Amino acid sequence: MTTQDDLQGLLSRMTLAEKIGQLNLLAAGEGLTTGAETSTPLAKRLDAGEVGAIFGTKSRASTRAMQERAIAGSRHAIPLFFAEDVIHGHRTIFPLNIAQACSWDMELIRACAAFSAEEASSEGLHQVYAPMIDISRDPRWGRVAESPGEDPHLASCIAEAMTRGLQENNGGRVSACLKHFVAYGATQSGRDYDNATMAWEDLLDIYLPPFEAGVKAGAEGVMASFNAVNKMPMHAHEPLIEGWLRRTAGFGGLVVSDYTGVKELVAHGLGSAEMVVARALHAGIDMDMVGEDYLRHLPGLAEHGLDAPETGLFISAETIRGLIDRACLRVLAFKAQQGLFEDPFKGMDPLAPTPNRQAGRALARKAAAGSCVLLKNNHLLPLKPGQKVALIGPLGSDRANMLGTWSVSGDARDVVSLEDALKAHDWASLKTAVGANLVREKWLVDRLNVHGVTVEPDPRDEAALLREAREVAEAADVVILALGEAKEQAGESSSVLCPDLPEPQRRLVAELAAGCTPVVGVIFAGRPLALGKVPEQVDALIYAWHGGVAGPEGVADILTGAAEPTGRLAVTLPVHPGETPLSYAAEPTGRPFPGHFQKFLTGWLDLEDGAARAAYPFGYGLSYGNVEYSAPMADVPGGGEAGMAEISVDITNTSERAVTETVQLYLSDPEARITRPGRLLKDFRRVPVAPGETRRVTFEITAEMLSYHVAPSLAEAQKVWDPGRIIVHTGPDSRATKSVEITWGA
Ligand code: BGC
């Protein structure tokens, strides 16, 4: 065991250059592929002891080679740590995070994270850049794919479950790195890398709670985000990093920059390359990812300090040296925590066994089925044996796009397409047609194929594709329409102007809806797409997201009834892309939307009345069975700070199928110090209910659940709760609830 004293002793023996070297976090790039003779830039850095950690290694052998080189290059034999983007799986790719969030199943999410940790640690990795816990309410933002969705409570549960899963030592653990700190999902216009401006109350009550939950669960790392929050870029945000994160939330781990995030402060307008290094270090960024600006500028700063009246900054050389010590000690402590001083080569033995891929695949399939949200079902699903099925659409035979955006170590060959998955069930003679292209424009196809070709448009014209689709549909009893997005249409740097189902696909839906064969729509996407009239045109509809290696098999399990649909939306599906950003938890206005357009009331002039409410609200999802809810019953013995109320609701399965119902509890505070969200999710319970069974579900409400922030500034933020009227809503989603009013005593 390396003790704090050992680390202090080590620090005291290190030169300034050695300390600065520990703060340098580099990408593996091509690695050390040609062995000991290599003189790549990375190898030179390792020989000089100028690297603290490396991310993105691709094999045990190259990881081992880098570790050997680093230890040989360090006077004190300080090992590297290795990190990787294991966002929704490592080799075994699980459903996108937004998809997993729709399972509302924390045990499943924990298990997927734990398996990813097993795979990652078995390849010599110590840290993963996950969980990504940026709340996002804007479908234009491509990274909504990696996010836990729109709600702070659900996201906090996910932050905790993933952190536990990654860090538990059950066959292999890795260190979790919460990201991106903070409000990266709230950027202007949904544009990636843009800035966020918001009330401090929103930051404290919407965007920070998942980080608080992750810290509480023991996360050992945090990554800063690219955006500014209220004018201060996060890589220089001392009040949020050293202030809120460390002092308020009690985080004691390592803070890393995002990719060249320190350098980018120059483009943000915070000063010269040297100035921004001082600012980032002072703000609490311990390691500089890729940019190497710490390596370049800290030696000079440690000698001269910084006197920059143009940015209002004065930091003495002594202070800089103290900050370098602070950051270096955090890096060393992190390495000690990972057991690296005892065993720097753990997981790098080329002959060691690898985790059981079959077990991972089975889990991935379960997660894929659990992530599907059944949006509509006119008694068409599950499919009946013997039905003649046609599979139409650009994603019916697809494999590569199913992996989803973060699949750096995944392999499309591991994916079973929906076509093959259905054939393996009962439909060996399934007929298929492309029906529509995902995209057609060459420039857009090129952008989507930037990380390898996943989009190859069918060269036939649209009329020919539609004709073929019609013919295949006419010969079938039921059509399955596999629609959606390519994997690169979502994810980093894939913000879109118009997050809706692309027009050629909507034309395909309209074409087939005009025929006589019933249609099941399956949407494979990385964001909540505005579906327009699609829900009215199809007979059944599943939102399947990009489901990973076993995504299509999970969908096939739902289609055939081998698995029950249990998913619920973790994010509201808009009707129209112009409604964004969008959340069930919007604040009320003085002129509330009455459910249709009315002059001088909140609403959209150009949104048709029939479609005037969000198509599918947060929390929504159907089962194959049916559950009825009683009104909530309240027992409020008192109130006050330590008070507790009990809310019970009876749910009855009125169908002949077993159901797992997600019972949701929302609270509204209609009289408060400031305008509060119309309602907020505070708790939920996944409850199995047998046919004919009634179950009572009981929730407890505490004063903490009623509390919220009032914050004229970050420094003056105060958490308060008010006695008085509270409306409690229970139900199957954020809209279809029944309510009871309670009075919370002072
Ligand atoms: C992303 C991070 C990621 C990092 C390293 C950045 O561009 O924003 O989420 O962890 O790259 O790959």
Side-chain angles (χ1 to χ4, degrees), residues 184-231:
Y184 185 32
T187 57
Q188 302 269 356
S189 306
R191 239 173 18 162
D192 211 359
Y193 315 124
D194 212 322
N195 298 321
T197 302
M198 63 179 71
W200 292 110
E201 284 87 351
D202 288 338
L203 187 77
L204 289 157
D205 286 337
I206 301 171
Y207 297 94
L208 286 171
F211 287 90
E212 192 177 351
V215 169
K216 262 204 195 114
E220 294 159 0
V222 169
M223 183 188 289
S225 59
F226 288 125
N227 55 289
V229 169
N230 294 349
K231 317 297 172 208

Side-chain angles (χ1 to χ4, degrees), residues 55 85 129 143 179-180 223 226 258-259 289 406 492:
F55 74 97
D85 285 294
Y129 296 140
R143 301 196 80 168
K179 74 182 188 185
H180 305 82
M223 183 188 289
F226 288 125
D258 202 347
Y259 204 105
M289 186 194 284
W406 268 116
E492 184 169 349

Side-chain angles (χ1 to χ4, degrees), residues 310-332:
E310 61 275 45
T311 53
L313 279 183
F314 172 78
I315 310 182
S316 70
E318 196 189 350
T319 303
I320 297 277
R321 289 196 295 273
L323 292 173
I324 293 171
D325 279 2
R326 177 179 84 177
C328 183
L329 197 58
R330 288 174 183 162
V331 174
L332 297 176

